[in-house]
Amino acid sequence: MGEQRGLPRFAALPVGIVVAVQAAVLTALSGRYGFHRDELYFVASGRRPDWGYVDNPPLTPWLARASTAVFGETPAGLRVIATLLGMATVVVVALLAREFGGGRGVQLFSAIATALSSYVLVVSHMLATNSADLLLWSLITLFGLKLLRAGDGRWWLAAGAAAGVGLANKWLVLLLLSGLGIGVAAAGPRRVFRTWWLAGGIGLAVVLAAPVVAWQAAHDWPMLTVAGGISADDGGENRALFVPMQLVLLSPVLVPVWVAGLVRPWRDPRLRWARALTIAYPVVCLELLVVGGKPYYSIPLLLPLVALGAEPVLRWLGRGGLTRRALTGAAAAVCVVVSVLIGLPVVPPPALNGVLLAMNKEPGEQVGWPEFAGSVAAAWQRIPATERDTAVIVAGNYGEAGAIERYGPELGLPRPYSPHMSYADWGPPPDRLVGPVLLVGGFERGSPAARLITGCRPVAKHFTAGGVDNDENGVVLSLCTLTKPWSVAWRRLRQFY
């Protein structure tokens, strides 16, 4: 497509150096701590490939299966794909900076800022649905901006393809599409809507997303049930924290950069075509505030704004004296250190307790899973040998079930079951298993589950290695009795969140 004329050359060498260093650091640290609870769930989901799961579309579990099949079912093997997604995101943000007319220095700044930002470090170190979402949002934005700048309708096909893949990962991409659509309708250039290529892009997205949507429809839209539960349980807290989190999740030192990006197209007539992006971000934020979505859902839109604001910020620094540059450099250094401490496994696990876990709980959820499986194995041995053939392990959440499934066989444990999320679809236990129930965790008093699994007698309590204060620290393991056949009880035990 010929609209590349007039753009600066892509700074392949300096951006490539940034990406190489990023890959080296992430790879060196990828085996530290262990699997995150979500990663254990994705590995388990990948073993059961399908067009959908209760709480997410299939792309991330498919990526987990591919990465572990090639590189091994270890934290380091799984995280190869997260590293690759993070590297690709850095390249795309540099390309976005180029799209706004940024030269070598601006592209390099954008790449470094992206690679070192807290949110990008977190989702590039461990595999999450956000890992792919960050790249896909950046790609959709890049293709959309190319369309707006050059008016070449063929970019609708690229944007449609990226949107279709995005819908196979997280449906939050609909927020991005609505924000950009409203931005173009409000600020133009609206001529991009007057082309048959738009229909082609929509059609391509629909074709790619159709199997995923069909699966959700056939299973009574469980993702909407999960989203509704998140909003009901956490909506108030999410709304209260939304604005402060926008200022810190990427990096406080980058706030002036993306604010400059919000302002720049309204001051520079040459970038009038990019105004839709500056409208999209507040639109997406407003939508998330209305539905009570998590604050980090909107963070991928800040990266294009960083690329947009990089040039005026670098000019401002260039006009300042030594004091201005020194203070800015010191602030940037502090923020980078904080980003690394909260985003990467660089401290011993016991040192996580306190401030670091308060700022980001995810590293704590990567500690102690083999030991957790060991605690379950010790509790399993409390069941008389004559009763183990008919006994069942029921885990309270998908992380616990994933850990037992991953580490349990080498400890002599049978397959675990869990009523949580998609694990509920992978049950129930056979009705012939009428023996004791080893319950990991517990149920709320008076709940249907508490009436179906009764007589619980605590036999062990798990404490996380190093005393790390995560969700499994202090969990109780009990031996219980099932009051109904599993085929009857299972649907009443199901948990969507």
Side-chain angles (χ1 to χ4, degrees), residues 50-252:
D50 207 339
W51 281 107
Y53 301 90
V54 166
D55 49 338
N56 54 263
L59 182 60
T60 297
W62 290 354
L63 292 173
R65 182 184 178 108
S67 194
T68 54
V70 175
F71 301 105
E73 197 172 288
T74 64
L78 174 66
R79 290 167 180 167
V80 170
I81 194 67
T83 297
L84 293 173
L85 292 168
M87 294 164 62
T89 299
V90 169
V91 172
V92 172
V93 175
L95 289 170
L96 282 162
R98 173 177 178 261
E99 203 67 27
F100 300 125
R104 183 185 182 93
V106 172
Q107 294 174 42
L108 177 60
F109 173 90
S110 300
I112 294 173
T114 300
L116 291 176
S117 61
S118 301
Y119 183 78
V120 175
L121 284 174
V122 170
V123 302
S124 300
H125 162 64
M126 53 169 271
L127 182 63
T129 53
N130 305 352
S131 306
D133 223 36
L134 189 66
L135 173 60
L136 289 164
W137 277 49
S138 299
L139 278 173
I140 292 169
T141 304
L142 175 63
F143 297 150
L145 290 170
K146 283 181 173 292
L147 169 68
L148 297 179
R149 183 177 63 79
D152 188 338
R154 289 174 292 178
W155 284 109
W156 278 116
L157 298 180
V165 175
L167 288 167
N169 185 61
K170 290 184 80 168
W171 286 5
L172 289 175
V173 73
L174 294 172
L175 297 179
L176 171 63
L177 297 175
S178 67
L180 290 173
I182 291 171
V184 175
R190 288 181 286 273
R191 67 178 184 278
V192 299
F193 291 139
R194 298 190 292 269
T195 173
W196 286 106
W197 290 109
L198 170 58
I202 293 173
L204 189 54
V206 168
V207 168
L208 290 171
V212 177
V213 176
W215 189 95
Q216 287 289 323
H219 291 78
D220 296 324
W221 308 99
M223 282 204 317
L224 300 183
T225 302
V226 173
I230 292 173
S231 179
D233 286 357
D234 302 330
E237 180 182 356
N238 290 340
R239 293 183 182 96
L241 293 175
F242 192 89
V243 172
M245 289 296 99
Q246 302 306 295
L247 305 179
V248 300
L249 279 174
L250 203 58
S251 178

